[in-house]
Amino acid sequence: VTDWREIVGAEHVRPGSPGDAVDGVVPRWVVRPGGIAEVQTCVRATAADGLALVPSGLGTYLDRGAPPSRLDVLLRLDRLARVLDHQAADMTVTVEAGCRLDALAAILAAAGQWLPLDPPAPATTTVGGLIAADLSGPLRAAHGRVRDALLGVRVVAADGALVHGGGRVVKNVAGYDLPKLHVGAFGTVGVIVEATFKVGPRPVCEEAVVVAARTSAAAVEFARAVLDSDVVPHWLEVAGSGGLAEGPGDGAAVAVGLAGIAEEVAHGRARTLALAAARGVGAVPVADGTGLRLRLAAFPLEPAAAMLRAAALPTEVGDVMLAFAREAGAAGSPVRCLAHAANGVVRAAIARATAIAPVVAALRPWLEARGGALVVERATPEVKGEVDVWGDPGPGLQLMRRVKEAFDPGRVLAPGRFVGGL
Amino acid sequence: MAAPSLVAGLRAIVGSDGVLDRPEALLVYECDGYTLERAAPEVVVLPRTPAEVSTVLRLLAAEGIPFVPRGAGTGLSGGTLPVGAPVMVCTSRMQAIEAVDVANRRIVVQAGVVNAWVTNAVRAHRLCYAPDPSSQPACTIGGNIAENSGGPHTLKYGVTTNHVLGVEMALPSGDLVALGGAVEDRPGYDLVGLAVGAEGTFGIVTRATLRLMRTPAAYRTLLAVFESVDAASEAVSGIIADGIVPAALELMDRLIITAVEAAFRIGLPTDAGAVLLIELDGPGPGLDAQAAGVEAVCRRAGVREIRVARDDAERAALWRCRKRAFGAVGRLAPNYCTQDGVVPRTRVPDILRRIAAAAARHRVRIGNVFHAGDGNIHPILLFDGRDADEVERVLAAGRDILAACVELGGSLTGEHGIGVEKIGQMPLLFAPDDLRAMISLRAVFDPEGRANPHKIFPDAKVCVETRAPRRQAAV
């Protein structure tokens, strides 16, 4: 049986405590390897002992996903925190998985650059967590998601082998696009230890315009009008009742993010205000667009009994928000919604735990029938015990099972955390 | 020769006009745009619908017969060369644009729809499909997905994988499976992302749901003339360093300038060392400021002359010479071979020096026309296919250039794929454990290894006839 102290040193091993629980499952050990070779040794030892591990950075998103079916080792990667290679002129950066997003952002900002992904809590989010949980924020409207920025990965496979996929250049079709396999996979097919991203110039100006609307349907209509105009929004959030602190109280609101050089931003601001005036609705320019965006980005971590995440077509966002309000209301719970309007993603913060199962039961079949999804993004272990976190991932499930079987036949890596019990 | 029973079975599925098995009819299919190796399939089958693809693959599965998928055959790495695969399945008759959703900016097309048709179908709605390979008037969406194709505008807008939301694929078993779809953020492994760029080794893509984008309202297209490729490269770095991301940033060297000028007579200075084609796009405001910034950078790099397209016609003329540069090269030599490699964009001057050295060492003439903003090089190696020794020297120079790309921290291919062409170089880029991971992924989709066998991965490669090419690469 493995003595973890021999691998990582006594100061980097401790027994698991309730604070380390992954969705209510407490690990036997918390192990913090100090380098890739130690990660490999840890994974090999876990497999050899017939144990299971969950990879983790700083633990901020361990309450996402389904509870692990087994958990012995919480493998914390926060000691692998270096920015290895920032090539500003190539617009690429290579980082270790445990690097915090705020630390990475500071280094990129010094060169006038950014990684345009804005999940909540960058100070407690690592690069590995960003990839494994496929985190995103308002900027996805213009810049896409992790899958669009990730150029390469190094991953420790279930047998301890160090595998690299992709590369460090912005364009590359040599071999399969293995980095994509690990995006949003919750560590079930490998432990991400290093990643290379495409980065870009950080816009010099970022502003916003907040537009009031009487109903969420009216807000969505306005958001669509913005998309159909010659404004190119950098981000476009629609808030239902109470979804936006800056919003008009009981009504809904649209926040239009504008970024670029001053001229572009001024044009976008004027056009958005004109669109609002033509509809006779109130609109307020916000000079600190970045500040507003970061507050909106933090929505998924706001206190609630559960955070649900619906995926639909952009034109369906209004219907989804109405359905959340209707079903949560019927189940006796307040609900606040915030949507990435250009992407068809609606998050709903459900206040009362008792409303979660009925809301999921009512909305999930409707969304899935339309090719969408409803995921329980965050909830207590008790709630997750009653409700399937993921729902039906669609006709690809059989292939997904075979992917898991191919990459982790011994079910060493985060077993049970992913779709279909993978 | 294909077994008569197989041919009869295929005819029963797709009709007799959809099966080719006479040797003269198969000649066209013995290579794609990579002409240095040839092998004719025993039979070509041209299904008209996804359901027919599925039925064809079921028949092949029952017989254990390997197959090679093909779109328009414009690929440049020999991805459609039938190696150990007697049956070629062509998607070129599957040409339906099945659904256009303007409000959500989605389009559903069958695999044989030609790239340029997608934008043509939605242009009236001020929408477009961003990936624009040079072969876009001919190449198919199915082929683009298999190769994860790029194009000049990928610098700002990304490659095929960034614009494919869903695919329907016929697995080698014949099962049709829909992966992804019109909605973003469905849970599960990103099987769509894995299928894009798999070079037909997972099965045959039959349909795709693509993301459309708003056509930019305004463009600024500039042609900057430099005394040397080093000066042009310095301008490329300077533009990026100034925080400007052009929609395209293309470099042509003197040999290509000469060929393009001979072909199109647009007044390019044939004594220049290099020209840059720079395009900025966006909603309009601020574009002039960006264009001024680009001009300032070019002046700092010692630009000789800057021309700005004054209207759409001038813009189109500039792009025409870039996109048809490959064709223009036909004037310089009987044959040419287009290489595809990637280096970090700051290493462009280094790789150009290495290319020049390889040209001298192997006594081969090489021109360069490429996506400088991405570091994606396209050396064009000129030769006479009747000269066996020269063909060998071209192949050797190509290998040296790719090895140099890897040494400089780059990749073997940016948009053409590995195919058969670069199998031998894969170990330069990937360790055995990396290759094992990829091969185990392939087995998820194709456990029997019947979909486009002997591609991408070095194995005991079946012998293919290598001989002088008969026609130019179709780019």
Side-chain angles (χ1 to χ4, degrees):
Chain A
V1 173
T2 299
D3 183 346
W4 301 100
R5 292 170 301 185
E6 287 178 7
I7 302 174
V8 298
E11 66 275 35
H12 299 301
V13 185
R14 59 180 173 78
S17 67
D20 302 309
V22 179
D23 274 328
V25 186
V26 179
R28 287 154 76 185
W29 302 282
V30 176
V31 180
R32 297 172 65 228
I36 289 175
E38 288 183 11
V39 175
Q40 290 180 271
T41 311
C42 287
V43 172
R44 274 196 206 101
T46 306
D49 292 354
L51 306 177
L53 64 81
V54 165
S56 167
L58 293 166
T60 304
Y61 297 93
L62 283 179
D63 56 0
R64 293 198 184 192
S69 54
R70 295 183 297 136
L71 174 58
D72 305 287
V73 180
L74 186 70
L75 194 68
R76 293 264 315 253
L77 292 156
D78 56 323
R79 290 175 65 207
L80 280 74
R82 291 174 301 167
V83 174
L84 296 172
D85 187 21
H86 174 213
Q87 292 291 337
D90 294 329
M91 294 200 292
T92 60
V93 67
T94 301
V95 276
E96 291 185 323
C99 181
R100 288 183 351 220
L101 295 188
D102 63 338
L104 173 58
I107 284 172
L108 297 174
Q113 295 184 334
W114 68 349
L115 174 62
L117 297 167
D118 55 346
T124 54
T125 301
T126 62
V127 162
L130 172 78
I131 299 168
D134 190 13
L135 304 174
S136 61
L139 282 177
R140 59 180 287 165
H143 295 279
R145 291 188 282 152
V146 171
R147 76 190 297 282
D148 299 300
L150 186 64
L151 300 172
V153 288
R154 292 220 285 171
V155 168
V156 174
D159 64 357
L162 181 63
V163 172
H164 107 266
R168 292 190 181 188
V169 283
V170 296
K171 213 167 159 190
N172 185 3
V173 297
Y176 299 142
D177 196 350
L178 278 185
K180 297 258 191 312
L181 175 62
H182 299 279
V183 177
F186 279 72
T188 57
V189 280
V191 179
I192 302 160
V193 291
E194 192 184 299
T196 298
F197 293 98
K198 178 158 74 171
V199 298
R202 196 185 175 92
V204 284
C205 302
E206 185 174 7
E207 295 186 12
V209 176
V210 175
V211 178
R214 245 185 292 282
T215 62
S216 53
V220 169
E221 191 279 327
F222 185 82
R224 302 227 49 88
V226 170
L227 286 172
D228 290 339
S229 75
D230 64 349
V231 178
V232 180
H234 225 59
W235 42 273
L236 186 62
E237 301 279 293
V238 167
S241 175
L244 178 64
E246 282 81 352
D250 284 344
V254 187
V256 183
L258 304 162
I261 62 176
E263 260 180 287
E264 280 176 282
V265 171
H267 169 79
R269 187 201 316 124
R271 294 288 299 127
T272 307
L273 292 172
L275 285 171
R279 281 166 176 70
V281 293
V284 187
V286 178
D288 182 11
T290 307
L292 174 58
R293 175 170 54 78
L294 295 179
R295 285 197 296 285
L296 294 170
F299 182 77
L301 294 184
E302 284 184 18
M307 187 66 68
L308 306 184
R309 179 188 186 87
L313 286 169
T315 48
E316 296 170 337
V317 162
D319 292 344
V320 173
M321 292 174 87
L322 281 174
F324 271 126
R326 184 181 66 236
E327 298 301 332
S333 174
V335 60
R336 294 180 304 128
C337 288
L338 187 62
H340 302 311
N343 305 96
V345 176
V346 182
R347 283 78 41 81
I350 309 275
R352 297 217 174 92
T354 49
I356 298 160
V359 169
V360 171
L363 261 68
R364 182 175 275 162
W366 176 68
L367 285 159
E368 288 181 352
R370 305 160 80 82
L374 182 63
V375 171
V376 181
E377 196 168 76
R378 218 180 75 225
T380 60
E382 293 71 36
V383 169
K384 288 187 178 185
E386 293 172 26
V387 182
D388 175 15
V389 166
W390 294 106
D392 179 5
L397 181 59
Q398 199 53 39
L399 286 167
M400 292 178 199
R401 288 192 198 289
R402 284 159 61 174
V403 166
K404 174 69 174 177
E405 176 65 24
F407 285 83
D408 182 24
R411 295 181 63 77
V412 174
L413 305 173
R417 292 275 281 156
F418 203 37
V419 297
L422 297 179
Chain B
M1 271 292 281
S5 63
L6 174 64
V7 173
L10 293 172
R11 289 215 162 102
I13 299 166
V14 302
S16 54
D17 64 335
V19 179
L20 310 174
D21 68 336
R22 285 179 299 123
E24 62 273 25
L26 297 174
L27 266 185
V28 172
Y29 297 93
E30 67 174 16
C31 70
D32 51 24
Y34 175 71
T35 59
L36 287 172
E37 294 177 64
R38 283 156 193 273
E42 292 177 15
V43 57
V44 173
V45 54
L46 296 123
R48 264 173 296 231
T49 63
E52 284 184 2
V53 176
S54 161
T55 313
V56 165
L57 293 199
R58 260 186 230 298
L59 175 67
L60 300 181
E63 307 277 330
I65 298 172
F67 59 91
V68 50
R70 190 185 206 259
T74 58
L76 291 162
S77 57
T80 68
L81 192 75
V83 186
V87 178
M88 179 177 280
V89 183
C90 277
T91 56
S92 53
R93 291 208 298 183
M94 293 164 48
Q95 300 186 341
I97 292 177
E98 297 187 335
V100 180
D101 179 350
V102 171
N104 288 306
R105 299 184 187 172
R106 311 283 199 261
I107 189 167
V108 181
V109 300
Q110 290 184 349
V113 166
V114 168
N115 174 297
W117 299 353
V118 179
T119 292
N120 290 345
V122 296
R123 182 175 286 122
H125 302 286
R126 291 193 299 141
L127 296 175
C128 65
Y129 178 61
D132 62 338
S134 292
S135 57
Q136 71 183 145
C139 63
T140 64
I141 292 298
N144 289 174
I145 290 172
E147 300 299 321
N148 192 12
S149 302
H153 287 87
T154 61
L155 174 60
K156 184 169 177 181
Y157 296 114
V159 294
T160 299
T161 193
N162 306 110
H163 301 274
V164 176
L165 289 162
V167 295
E168 178 191 72
M169 182 179 264
L171 298 174
S173 62
D175 292 346
L176 278 178
V177 57
L179 307 174
V183 173
E184 296 180 25
D185 280 31
R186 294 182 69 182
Y189 297 121
D190 185 0
L191 299 179
V192 176
L194 295 170
V196 176
E199 301 197 27
T201 60
F202 288 180
I204 299 181
V205 169
T206 50
R207 282 191 175 96
T209 304
L210 309 177
R211 189 197 298 279
L212 302 169
M213 65 167 214
R214 168 51 50 85
T215 310
Y219 299 92
R220 295 291 180 277
T221 307
L222 299 86
L223 188 82
V225 181
F226 293 88
E227 301 296 345
S228 67
V229 287
D230 276 5
S233 301
E234 193 186 320
V236 170
S237 299
I239 290 166
I240 301 292
D242 270 16
I244 300 168
V245 179
L249 193 43
E250 302 281 305
L251 191 150
M252 293 184 262
D253 72 1
R254 179 179 295 168
L255 191 144
I256 301 296
I257 296 168
T258 309
V260 166
E261 181 56 23
F264 300 113
R265 304 251 169 240
I266 58 163
L268 292 179
T270 51
D271 62 334
V275 298
L276 279 183
L277 180 59
I278 306 158
E279 184 156 282
L280 303 160
D281 69 15
L287 267 189
D288 284 326
Q290 282 192 34
V294 166
E295 290 193 32
V297 169
C298 289
R299 275 194 296 277
R300 282 204 300 278
V303 71
R304 182 207 284 186
E305 180 196 350
I306 297 177
R307 296 181 198 172
V308 182
R310 280 164 301 189
D311 52 33
D312 282 352
E314 287 193 7
R315 171 175 179 254
L318 290 179
W319 273 109
R320 202 154 45 235
C321 47
R322 164 61 185 90
K323 291 204 174 183
R324 295 194 190 159
F326 296 96
V329 166
R331 294 168 168 260
L332 301 181
N335 305 92
Y336 65 88
C337 168
T338 306
Q339 259 302 350
D340 169 42
V342 191
V343 293
R345 82 192 93 217
T346 47
R347 309 306 295 272
V348 164
D350 302 276
I351 193 66
L352 291 175
R353 271 189 283 279
R354 302 282 288 267
I355 292 170
R361 186 163 55 247
H362 297 285
R363 291 177 289 120
V364 176
R365 278 205 297 163
I366 303 180
N368 289 285
V369 45
F370 63 97
H371 316 306
D374 292 320
N376 185 189
I377 58 159
H378 288 317
I380 300 181
L381 293 75
L382 306 177
F383 62 101
D384 182 341
R386 292 162 297 191
D387 181 343
D389 177 63
E390 194 172 45
V391 171
E392 280 309 310
R393 284 185 280 118
V394 161
L395 290 169
R399 285 193 295 271
D400 283 5
I401 291 168
L402 291 179
C405 286
V406 174
E407 256 181 70
L408 292 169
S411 174
L412 297 170
T413 168
E415 54 188 14
H416 295 178
I418 297 295
V420 292
E421 184 195 13
K422 298 176 179 180
I423 281 182
Q425 278 83 39
M426 280 292 273
L428 295 178
L429 203 55
F430 294 108
D433 282 336
D434 307 333
L435 293 171
R436 259 195 294 280
M438 291 188 207
I439 288 166
S440 63
L441 180 62
R442 188 242 177 96
V444 164
F445 292 84
D446 180 22
E448 296 167 351
R450 287 187 302 105
N452 213 7
H454 310 293
K455 302 289 161 64
I456 307 178
F457 305 108
D459 59 5
K461 193 180 150 193
V462 178
C463 188
V464 181
E465 186 184 3
T466 301
R467 68 165 181 217
R470 268 192 238 137
R471 63 181 177 103
Q472 299 291 351
V475 183

